[in-house]
Amino acid sequence: MAYNHPFNFPLSWHYDEIPTNQLQNGGQRLATLLVYLNDLEEGCGGGTVFRDLKAATSSDRKGTQQLTVRPQAGSALLFFPSYRDGTPDIRTLHKGEVALDTKMIAQLWIHEREYQAGVPENNLQSKALDGVEEEKRRLGLSSR
């Protein structure tokens, strides 16, 4: 899946594992691969942030800062949202930072078994349009 993350639009905290009631189609997600398709300069946001994973730096050897992966064209981030037995790894809670420019990624999920892409029953884009417009107005992204 390719994703064009709109300018100045946050992506909330989320897990990539599949809810238990949806495991019949492909089983659990075992791996997530994000490929960054463009650069975002330091200070422009757009990083992928992990709430519970810490990043050690030369000045902070204990790793007290949240792990943030900065988009750089051609680089990739691979992480495992669940253990081999399908149990979700709660340490992989992550979000996309607000970006001050367009962020483009290609995303690939590896499942336990063959996965058939589709839209869950009653999950219609048309049902979400009012909520999307309301959020865009709240963020100052829409004139409607």
Side-chain angles (χ1 to χ4, degrees), residues 54-110:
K54 306 301 179 195
T57 64
S58 57
S59 61
D60 178 19
R61 296 266 182 218
K62 292 185 179 183
T64 57
Q65 297 290 326
Q66 290 175 322
L67 175 62
T68 301
V69 179
R70 182 89 23 239
Q72 293 182 327
S75 65
L77 168 62
L78 175 66
F79 65 95
F80 305 94
S82 63
Y83 296 100
R84 184 174 175 84
D85 68 359
T87 304
D89 183 346
I90 62 170
R91 300 172 300 169
T92 62
L93 181 68
H94 62 286
K95 70 175 184 174
E97 290 178 317
V98 170
L100 300 180
D101 201 349
T102 299
K103 171 184 170 182
M104 293 182 293
I105 63 170
Q107 183 168 291
L108 175 70
W109 291 297
I110 305 298

Side-chain angles (χ1 to χ4, degrees), residues 16-17 26 47 52 63 81 88 119 126:
D16 279 5
E17 86 274 353
D52 300 322
V119 177
S126 59

Side-chain angles (χ1 to χ4, degrees), residues 2-17:
Y3 183 70
N4 182 350
H5 195 267
F7 162 76
N8 206 23
F9 192 81
L11 186 60
S12 64
W13 293 108
H14 64 281
Y15 295 102
D16 279 5
E17 86 274 353

Side-chain angles (χ1 to χ4, degrees), residues 40-46 70 98 100:
L40 284 176
E41 299 297 322
E42 187 73 34
C44 286
R70 182 89 23 239
V98 170
L100 300 180

